[in-house]
Amino acid sequence: MASAPSSSSTSAGGLHLPDTTSELVKILVAGPFGVGKTTLIDSVSEIRPLHTEEHLTEASVSVDNLAGVRDKTTTTVAIDFGRISLGAGIVLYLFGTPGQERFRALWADIAHGALGALVLIDTRRIDDSFDVLGLVEESGLPYAVALNTFPDSRPYTEEQLRGSLDLEPGTPMIVCDARDTNSSVDALLALVQHLIAAHAASRPAEAVTSAEAVAGAVESGAAPTEGNTVTW
């Protein structure tokens, strides 16, 4: 199992959290196998991300559908983890979840304590997203959908995509490029703005305060100044 050592130079001034940190917010980055979760976390994390990846082998041929992702050679088997320090003492902890059914048993543990989820979708493989969306909805987590763009992605209208994914009218849906830091941060912002409304109706006041603080920090432009941008 591979894990990345911590980098000594980060955009937030180092590995350790500053004394001014006041809010630690856990966000899930979910989606089917090969959709770009690891790439998105790499693109925004201010620290060298933690990855738990293993090489795909012949043993997984019958269970891992490589349609549309033929060049993929590894898969996350536990979590990806990254961190973004925003303004006003806000820190987002990003937890990437495995996308295959056989790792479903990990879901409850990884989702525990999360404020919300960003669900990545590959429009070339929409059917692959249904199980993950079902897990997120069953957990009761508010979520936003990010349509990760690929060179051969087919164009669809918003109405077509919402209908195919059976999204509630209020669920945010944004197009993003997981390789691009600004695009990935925009997707996280769409989620955070949704959390404000969702938690206002269903969670204690302190949860709403956390979401509002995160949204204000992101909107103020206090996102990481550097990202470890990677390619597929």
Side-chain angles (χ1 to χ4, degrees):
M1 182 178 297
S3 61
S6 300
S7 172
S8 60
S9 61
T10 71
S11 59
L15 172 64
H16 302 290
L17 292 174
D19 293 338
T20 54
T21 299
S22 59
E23 296 285 350
L24 304 178
V25 181
K26 182 178 182 179
I27 299 293
L28 297 190
V29 180
F33 170 69
V35 76
K37 302 180 294 292
T38 299
T39 300
L40 185 141
I41 290 175
D42 278 352
S43 75
V44 301
S45 183
E46 69 195 15
I47 59 173
R48 187 173 180 182
L50 167 72
H51 297 308
T52 54
E53 292 196 321
E54 292 290 348
H55 287 283
L56 294 170
T57 67
E58 292 296 327
S60 70
V61 169
S62 62
V63 291
D64 289 334
N65 182 6
L66 292 177
V69 287
R70 291 292 177 186
D71 293 334
K72 188 170 178 59
T73 59
T74 62
T75 185
T76 299
V77 296
I79 62 167
D80 292 315
F81 175 77
R83 189 185 81 194
I84 311 174
S85 293
L86 306 175
I90 308 300
V91 175
L92 296 188
Y93 284 163
L94 304 177
F95 285 77
T97 63
Q100 296 99 310
E101 174 64 25
R102 65 183 184 276
F103 298 121
R104 188 185 185 107
L106 295 172
W107 176 264
D109 289 337
I110 297 174
H112 181 72
L115 197 64
L118 181 66
V119 182
L120 269 64
I121 304 292
D122 181 351
T123 58
R124 305 169 303 173
R125 303 179 290 129
I126 290 178
D127 290 353
D128 293 350
S129 306
F130 296 154
D131 287 344
V132 175
L133 285 169
L135 277 174
V136 174
E137 291 174 352
E138 288 171 13
S139 71
L141 286 176
Y143 67 93
V145 167
L147 308 172
N148 192 17
T149 55
F150 292 84
D152 57 343
S153 295
R154 293 179 55 189
Y156 294 98
T157 66
E158 180 175 349
E159 183 179 4
Q160 288 173 323
L161 288 168
R162 285 188 173 277
S164 296
L165 297 169
D166 195 25
L167 298 181
E168 293 290 336
T171 302
M173 187 172 69
I174 185 172
V175 176
C176 83
D177 183 341
R179 300 167 297 182
D180 181 78
T181 299
N182 291 332
S183 182
S184 297
V185 170
D186 284 345
L188 290 169
L189 174 58
L191 168 63
V192 169
Q193 290 172 330
H194 181 54
L195 293 180
I196 295 172
H199 283 265
S202 62
R203 298 293 176 91
E206 57 267 23
V208 181
T209 302
S210 295
E212 290 176 341
V214 174
V218 177
E219 288 177 325
S220 70
T225 57
E226 297 178 4
N228 301 318
T229 304
V230 298
T231 57
W232 287 298

